[in-house]
Amino acid sequence: MQKYRCVPSLYGHSADPMPTIEEIEKHYRESYYQDPTGQYKKAYDQAELDYFDDRANVALDFSAAHGVAKGNAIDLGCGEGFFLKSAQRRGFDVFGVDHSLVGIERQNRDLIDGDPGHFVAGDIGSRRHFEGVTFDLVYCKNVIEHVIDPDSIMTRIASYLSPGGLAIIEVPNDFSKLHSTIFGDASKEELPIFVPPVHLHYFTTKTLPELGKRNGLSVIDCFGDYPIDHLLMEEAFNYYKDRKLGSSAHSLRRKFFRYACSIDVDARLALFRSIFMAGLGRDICIVVRQ
């Protein structure tokens, strides 16, 4: 098995050596996609469905705050299609791309049945899909940390944008100041957040906006999600050391989003912006346009 180091990089930190494309494909073929349903569940309870919708609506609220509340929306890495389901409810015409459409076929089959030509099983980085169609909103969640060259994916994302359109890019927030507080001087290679060859790059609230700017995009907003990893500061809540605590930690995250989506939209946006500004959020997002 390949031994990886965690080294400083343009993105914050990266795995070294970088695997080849062939090695990555082999890993996913053998470890990730053996079961065509992958990481997906057969069914979700209502609290989890509400959580998916709440998360999507926070991103859609940021989109609306910057003047994009309808039009064409594409999810690059659409998974089970829950973001697109929420976007459709809010009036968007939705499109999706993923390596496999098994997830969306199982959970949101009506999206595909309604517009079969709007969904493609294919690689996000190697080509632009839906030639001739531009998009008012491009959503890309938990994709660029998996690829060898995130800058090339940013170029691809930009190619989908219509004039005045915007993109929301979301990645895990790794090796943050909070993580330094929690994990101390432990070797990064020993930390549970270092997971090559699944995640190859590890972004922060500093390096993610820099990625957008470096690729000619204007970063017009930033926000973070619930900082679930703050629970690791207290041994009694450390879900990495005691996996049985994971479901309770996730329940807190769901309740946080449920509450946040019940308050005034301006207060909601300010809340999630402040999380990013504090360097927090298990995931962090930038809102960009050309």
Side-chain angles (χ1 to χ4, degrees):
M1 179 177 289
Q2 175 68 58
K3 189 77 171 175
Y4 293 95
R5 295 183 303 129
C6 183
V7 299
S9 73
L10 197 60
Y11 306 112
H13 288 83
S14 298
D16 180 62
M18 195 59 55
T20 65
I21 292 174
E22 291 75 20
E23 288 169 337
I24 293 172
E25 289 176 347
K26 181 175 185 290
H27 168 77
Y28 281 103
R29 210 167 42 241
E30 295 179 354
S31 304
Y32 199 73
Y33 289 126
Q34 278 187 329
D35 175 359
T37 61
Q39 62 186 324
Y40 305 134
K41 292 185 178 181
K42 291 183 179 179
Y44 297 98
D45 62 22
Q46 189 57 51
E48 192 72 0
L49 294 173
D50 288 342
Y51 166 68
F52 293 151
D53 192 42
D54 290 342
R55 282 193 70 113
N57 277 312
V58 169
L60 292 164
D61 287 340
F62 273 95
S63 178
H66 293 285
V68 177
K70 60 182 180 179
N72 290 336
I74 187 169
D75 187 347
L76 299 175
C78 61
E80 294 170 295
F82 289 109
F83 174 82
L84 293 176
K85 187 74 167 185
S86 299
Q88 185 186 66
R89 288 193 195 104
R90 292 178 62 150
F92 283 94
D93 193 13
V94 297
F95 296 70
V97 181
D98 210 321
H99 282 288
S100 168
L101 296 182
V102 167
I104 194 169
E105 286 171 346
R106 170 174 283 178
Q107 297 294 344
N108 287 290
R109 178 79 212 189
D110 59 305
L111 293 179
I112 296 178
D113 290 342
D115 287 292
H118 285 199
F119 298 89
V120 172
D123 181 59
I124 295 166
S126 62
R127 56 165 293 199
R128 188 197 189 282
H129 302 277
F130 307 112
E131 287 298 335
V133 183
T134 59
F135 295 89
D136 304 282
L137 175 60
V138 177
Y139 185 67
C140 189
K141 177 180 184 288
N142 297 150
V143 170
I144 63 173
E145 69 272 18
H146 294 268
V147 304
I148 293 172
D149 184 4
D151 286 88
S152 68
I153 297 296
M154 294 299 291
T155 301
R156 181 70 64 201
I157 288 170
S159 75
Y160 283 94
L161 287 171
S162 62
L166 58 82
I168 298 176
I169 295 99
E170 180 170 345
V171 299
N173 179 21
D174 289 321
F175 304 125
S176 63
K177 185 175 181 180
L178 176 62
H179 288 161
S180 296
T181 300
I182 293 167
F183 298 120
D185 57 2
S187 167
K188 288 181 170 58
E189 287 84 357
E190 297 173 1
L191 299 183
I193 57 176
F194 184 61
V195 288
V198 179
H199 291 183
L200 301 177
H201 303 288
Y202 299 82
F203 295 86
T204 68
T205 54
K206 178 178 182 292
T207 63
L208 182 60
E210 289 174 348
L211 175 68
K213 294 172 185 175
R214 189 166 62 247
N215 286 278
L217 297 166
S218 297
V219 180
I220 58 175
D221 219 333
C222 303
F223 60 99
D225 78 343
Y226 175 62
I228 191 171
D229 38 1
H230 83 281
L231 296 172
L232 303 174
M233 300 175 80
E234 179 58 56
E235 194 73 16
F237 306 125
N238 191 323
Y239 52 84
Y240 278 137
K241 290 186 177 180
D242 184 353
R243 293 292 177 174
K244 295 192 297 293
L245 297 172
S247 60
S248 294
H250 181 55
S251 178
L252 280 173
R253 175 164 52 189
R254 295 194 305 199
K255 290 173 180 177
F256 177 88
F257 270 95
R258 185 93 295 214
Y259 170 76
C261 287
S262 74
I263 63 177
D264 174 78
V265 65
D266 290 334
R268 177 159 63 252
L269 298 183
L271 170 62
F272 287 102
R273 285 189 186 110
S274 70
I275 291 171
F276 183 97
M277 289 175 63
L280 300 174
R282 187 63 197 96
D283 278 8
I284 50 176
C285 304
I286 54 172
V287 184
V288 300
R289 62 173 24 128
Q290 290 180 310

